[in-house]
Amino acid sequence: MNSTGSKWLLSLLLLAVVAAADAQLYESFYAAKCPQGPAKVAEVVKSWIAKDRTLAPALLRLHFHDCFVRGCDASVLLNGATSEKEAPPNKGSLRGFNVIDDIKAKVEALCPGVISCSDILALAGRDAIVAMGGTNWSVPLGRRDGVLSLASEANADLPSPFSTFASLVSNFGKKGLSTSDLVVLSGSHTVGLAHCAVMQPRLYNFSSTVKTDPALDPTFATALKKLCKQGDVATLIKMDQSKAVDTWDPNYYSNVLRGRSLFTSDDQLKRNPAGVKVVQQMNKAPSPFNKAFGDAMVKMGKIGVLTGTNGQIRKKCFVKN
Ligand code: HEM
């Protein structure tokens, strides 16, 4: 076979492997071995969120950062001097690891060695959305856990808040996600917190000619400057200044259209015809956001999963067996 032929064969084989992995994830995966497991995850998520409402967005973000690096294999949870946790996009910013450890301990007590850390992340992400008032969806299950976690991969694969539209599309495309998935999943920035560090360039050091990003609504920029003083990298501010940190709604899209979203990567979604089309669709009342979001999360949750006899079921989420 010539080299073009063998490349085709390889692509077909890869497609078959991806399709096979997909087929092995299904909602009732634990029905026989640990029927109470998924409900236990939801119960523990709820109890933590009742104490600290900011944990709901944090749990959602953990699942995203897991899936984008090495697939949804719980590699984000592994400790190590050069693990994903240590990479700048994660360090000091990802939260909720203690919640995952607590969930794991409680599901291990129910059914030892059965429920993977990667499935716990997928379930906790969904349960967090439900706790914030979002719509429920079925989470396909059966992921297994990886054994490797590299900061270098987190640096390469996680999108930067300073990204252009083209680089966001390319970043999501590499993970099998479309422009529409990018816009819909970015709607997560309707909840949660961000460090003032991310806002410094947009507020005070945008370019050699303008200090403040002209894409920001001027009133909004003035308000943000009160919350994030020049040089402040530590203060946490709400993603959506108009409501509580954990109110799940499509308001993000209205913010994007009005120059009231925090990051350049958010603003960029309206700077392209394909992007703005989806932003406008999501911003319509009644918004198709909740349904679209559940569908996109299911798609994201299937990135690079380990199934069957691949990987392992970790006993503790922060260390491989
Ligand atoms: C499109 C590219 C994206 C970029 C560039 C981006 C970037 C960021 C940044 C910089 C923060 C603030 C971190 C901090 O200052 O501590 C953040 C927070 C957050 N992101 Fe994204 N993100 C993106 C997409 C997503 C997606 C796809 C999801 C979920 C599916 C998501 C969910 C969240 C949540 C919930 C928070 C708040 C976390 C918390 O309160 O602890 N983001 N994101």
Side-chain angles (χ1 to χ4, degrees):
M1 195 185 304
N2 63 21
S3 81
T4 319
S6 50
K7 269 184 201 155
W8 265 104
L9 190 62
L10 192 66
S11 312
L12 282 174
L13 278 172
L14 272 173
L15 272 178
V17 171
V18 171
D22 189 14
Q24 286 164 40
L25 294 186
Y26 50 93
E27 196 197 1
S28 59
F29 187 83
Y30 295 113
K33 283 187 172 170
C34 192
Q36 326 91 303
K40 178 55 84 180
V41 175
E43 181 193 314
V44 183
V45 165
K46 257 177 128 175
S47 72
W48 278 89
I49 292 174
K51 286 181 263 174
D52 177 357
R53 295 166 66 179
T54 74
L55 283 170
L59 290 172
L60 167 61
R61 188 166 182 240
L62 271 180
H63 181 44
F64 162 49
H65 280 216
D66 181 35
C67 292
F68 262 57
V69 186
R70 224 162 236 282
C72 315
D73 67 341
S75 53
V76 72
L77 302 176
L78 288 173
N79 284 344
T82 56
S83 73
E84 290 170 30
K85 278 182 179 177
E86 303 303 319
N90 290 334
K91 200 176 169 74
S93 156
L94 272 190
R95 305 177 299 125
F97 295 107
N98 52 336
V99 178
I100 301 297
D101 291 342
D102 187 35
I103 296 171
K104 179 64 173 170
K106 288 182 173 138
V107 296
E108 282 294 300
L110 273 182
C111 333
V114 174
I115 300 199
S116 67
C117 298
S118 39
D119 276 345
I120 289 177
L121 285 172
L123 286 166
R126 188 273 315 267
D127 296 336
I129 302 275
V130 172
M132 291 189 282
T135 311
N136 203 342
W137 69 87
S138 300
V139 181
L141 298 167
R143 296 168 192 79
R144 292 169 63 86
D145 302 328
V147 293
L148 190 62
S149 176
L150 298 169
S152 56
E153 292 184 344
N155 288 329
D157 289 357
L158 291 169
S160 150
F162 309 108
S163 301
T164 60
F165 184 79
S167 73
L168 290 169
V169 168
S170 141
N171 185 291
F172 275 62
K174 281 183 197 151
K175 305 294 167 193
L177 299 177
S178 66
T179 299
S180 173
D181 297 326
L182 159 68
V183 177
V184 168
L185 290 171
S186 294
S188 300
H189 290 173
T190 195
V191 291
L193 299 165
H195 285 87
C196 283
V198 191
M199 296 314 297
Q200 290 295 324
R202 283 194 98 189
L203 293 177
Y204 300 109
N205 198 15
F206 187 65
S207 76
S208 55
T209 48
V210 254
K211 278 195 171 167
T212 305
D213 184 349
L216 285 168
D217 166 348
T219 317
F220 183 65
T222 306
L224 282 187
K225 284 177 184 168
K226 289 202 178 108
L227 298 172
C228 294
K229 296 273 163 15
Q230 187 157 13
D232 176 2
V233 292
T235 303
L236 283 167
I237 59 169
K238 285 186 293 182
M239 288 277 193
D240 185 334
Q241 294 294 318
S242 70
K243 59 183 166 71
V245 68
D246 61 344
T247 303
W248 189 259
D249 62 19
N251 197 45
Y252 168 78
Y253 299 100
S254 149
N255 285 339
V256 167
L257 291 169
R258 292 180 303 142
R260 287 172 170 255
S261 54
L262 289 193
F263 308 144
T264 299
S265 54
D266 299 317
D267 185 75
Q268 281 288 304
L269 302 180
K270 69 176 186 212
R271 306 286 169 191
N272 166 283
V276 78
K277 199 173 146 202
V278 185
V279 171
Q280 278 161 348
Q281 269 168 6
M282 295 301 131
N283 192 43
K284 270 192 199 140
S287 172
F289 174 57
N290 273 328
K291 165 81 174 78
F293 189 81
D295 292 347
M297 284 292 281
V298 168
K299 214 169 148 187
M300 186 183 88
K302 289 180 178 171
I303 299 172
V305 292
L306 299 168
T307 56
T309 52
N310 292 320
Q312 56 179 227
I313 306 297
R314 272 181 228 150
K315 292 191 175 70
K316 291 194 166 126
C317 290
F318 54 84
V319 61
K320 66 178 180 176
N321 294 343

